[in-house]
Structure formats: structure tokens, C-alpha cells
Amino acid sequence: DAEITQSPRHKITETGRQVTLACHQTWNHNNMFWYRQDLGHGLRLIHYSYGVQDTNKGEVSDGYSVSRSNTEDLPLTLESAASSQTSVYFCASSAGGSSNEQFFGPGTRLTVL
Amino acid sequence: QQQVKQSPQSLIVQKGGISIINCAYENTAFDYFPWYQQFPGKGPALLIAIRPDVSEKKEGRFTISFNKSAKQFSLHIMDSQPGDSATYFCAATNTGTASKLTFGTGTRLQVTL
């Protein structure tokens, strides 16, 4: 069955370190998204991609970067982790076109000490 | 700038009761309004969605009511069950933006016995 996976599921890191969160989908979806979820803020869009080599900034993109070298993967990199980036991160994908439904991964809980 | 406002932040309903969650939006270009359900430790999943050409959509015990002139929409859960206990997010998008969703801040629903 097609799915979307994230790794690691839990990560503890130190301030200033570079961290990469992986996202892999097997639906062959063109669109992929990264969100962070924080209490009181809901889901906020970090970066998104509409296809290979395409990346766009969301509303909370500072300190994050993504790259899209193939259809299946959209890794999220925190260049220099900060305590304010402690959060739960969700990756999602959608087919685009007439389908607006986004399929979410299980999330990565990141703690920056 | 929060384009989708959701209330209440939390809700406790007795089993068999009606749960009502409200959302208001600002962007009149939005033309697709989904609700996502999220259980603890899981990613959000699409529950039900509506487009502004109808005022109501019902799927089982879940109903979306939509008021285009007031720019408001709400989720009604009839005969609420303990298994409905979850966090609910409303969202909105302009389908011309390739499914980039703007989410509300979420409502944590607890259905008691």
C-alpha cells in the first residue's frame, strides 16, 4: 500500500547542530509539504514543493531549508537548530490537480536542548 | 496573520451529545474547506470537506455547515462517541494554489461517558 513515512520519529539535538528530517512518500504525488505543530498555533506551513527541483517558502520558513531531487522525498533541514524549533514536524503530500486532499505522515518529535 | 480562526480551543461533550466546532476565514478566494481529525501520536487525516457551492455536507454523523456570506463554516458531530475524542482542524485553500492549506489552530475534543 502507498504510504508516507517520516524518520526519525523522535530526535533530541543540541542548539547549533544541523538536523535533517526525512520524508518519503510512495504515492508518486507531485505536491509535498512540511508543517510544524505547536500548541495554540495549529499546523503552520514551513516549506512546500510542487515537483522535482521546485521549493517554496511557507509562513514559518526562517531557519529551515528543503530540497526536492526526486518525486518521493522532501527532506527538511534545520541549518542551526534553536530551542524555538522544538516542535512536532509533519510531512504531507497531495496529488494536486483536482485533488486537494493532503496525506500526512506520522510526525517527528524534535527536541532542541 | 491568521486567515482561519477556529473556536473553541477545547471542548468536552457527553456521549450522545452534539459537538460543534466553528471556523471563520478572511480570504474570499478560498474555495475548499476541509476538516482534519488527529488522534494522539498520529498525523492528521481528512475527515470531511466542502466547497462553497453548497451550504451543507453530511457524511454519517459528521456535518459541515457553510455560510458564505458570513465567511464561516462549522463541524457538527452528532451522537458524539468516546472514539471521536481527538483534535480537529479546519482548513481552507484556494484550489488555484495547488492545495496549499491554511489551518485553524485546532480544537481538542473530549467525549466523556
Side-chain angles (χ1 to χ4, degrees):
Chain A
D1 289 343
E3 61 178 355
I4 182 166
T5 57
Q6 294 183 235
S7 62
R9 295 294 313 278
H10 301 272
K11 174 76 176 179
I12 300 174
T13 190
E14 295 177 343
T15 301
R17 289 190 179 271
Q18 184 181 77
V19 177
T20 296
L21 309 183
C23 175
H24 179 80
Q25 53 99 1
T26 59
W27 278 297
N28 200 35
H29 283 166
N30 287 324
N31 304 334
M32 295 185 73
F33 308 84
W34 273 104
Y35 297 90
R36 59 178 290 175
Q37 183 175 11
D38 305 285
L39 193 63
H41 292 279
L43 292 155
R44 293 182 291 176
L45 184 63
I46 305 171
H47 282 286
Y48 58 102
S49 168
Y50 291 152
V52 176
Q53 302 301 331
D54 175 76
T55 61
N56 306 278
K57 294 181 179 181
E59 63 176 300
V60 290
S61 61
D62 287 349
Y64 304 94
S65 64
V66 293
S67 61
R68 186 91 180 268
S69 59
N70 58 53
T71 301
E72 296 80 16
D73 300 288
L74 187 70
L76 177 71
T77 297
L78 286 69
E79 302 294 344
S80 177
S83 58
S84 60
Q85 295 177 308
T86 293
S87 185
V88 181
Y89 292 85
F90 287 98
C91 179
S93 70
S94 71
S98 60
S99 174
N100 298 103
E101 180 177 2
Q102 290 190 16
F103 296 84
F104 282 79
T108 294
R109 181 174 295 276
L110 176 67
T111 301
V112 183
L113 301 176
Chain B
Q1 179 186 1
Q2 184 184 356
Q3 295 192 54
V4 179
K5 295 183 179 181
Q6 183 172 348
S7 63
Q9 185 173 359
S10 62
L11 182 62
I12 300 175
V13 173
Q14 280 194 328
K15 179 182 176 181
I18 302 173
S19 303
I20 301 174
I21 304 171
N22 301 300
C23 283
Y25 64 97
E26 300 168 3
N27 188 341
T28 56
F30 287 154
D31 60 1
Y32 175 74
F33 303 88
W35 285 88
Y36 281 76
Q37 180 187 53
Q38 182 183 30
F39 293 106
K42 305 291 186 182
L46 180 65
L47 180 65
I48 186 173
I50 195 168
R51 297 187 185 275
D53 52 343
V54 297
S55 60
E56 185 176 282
K57 183 173 182 181
K58 184 176 181 179
E59 290 185 2
R61 296 183 294 107
F62 300 91
T63 299
I64 300 178
S65 297
F66 185 81
N67 185 329
K68 188 174 182 178
S69 61
K71 292 186 288 184
Q72 295 175 347
F73 58 110
S74 59
L75 176 69
H76 296 239
I77 306 174
M78 310 300 289
D79 187 27
S80 298
Q81 298 297 312
D84 297 330
S85 296
T87 299
Y88 293 82
F89 293 96
C90 62
T93 188
N94 176 341
T95 51
T97 62
S99 67
K100 185 161 72 78
L101 293 169
T102 298
F103 283 88
T105 52
T107 296
R108 187 170 183 177
L109 171 66
Q110 182 182 353
V111 181
T112 61
L113 294 171

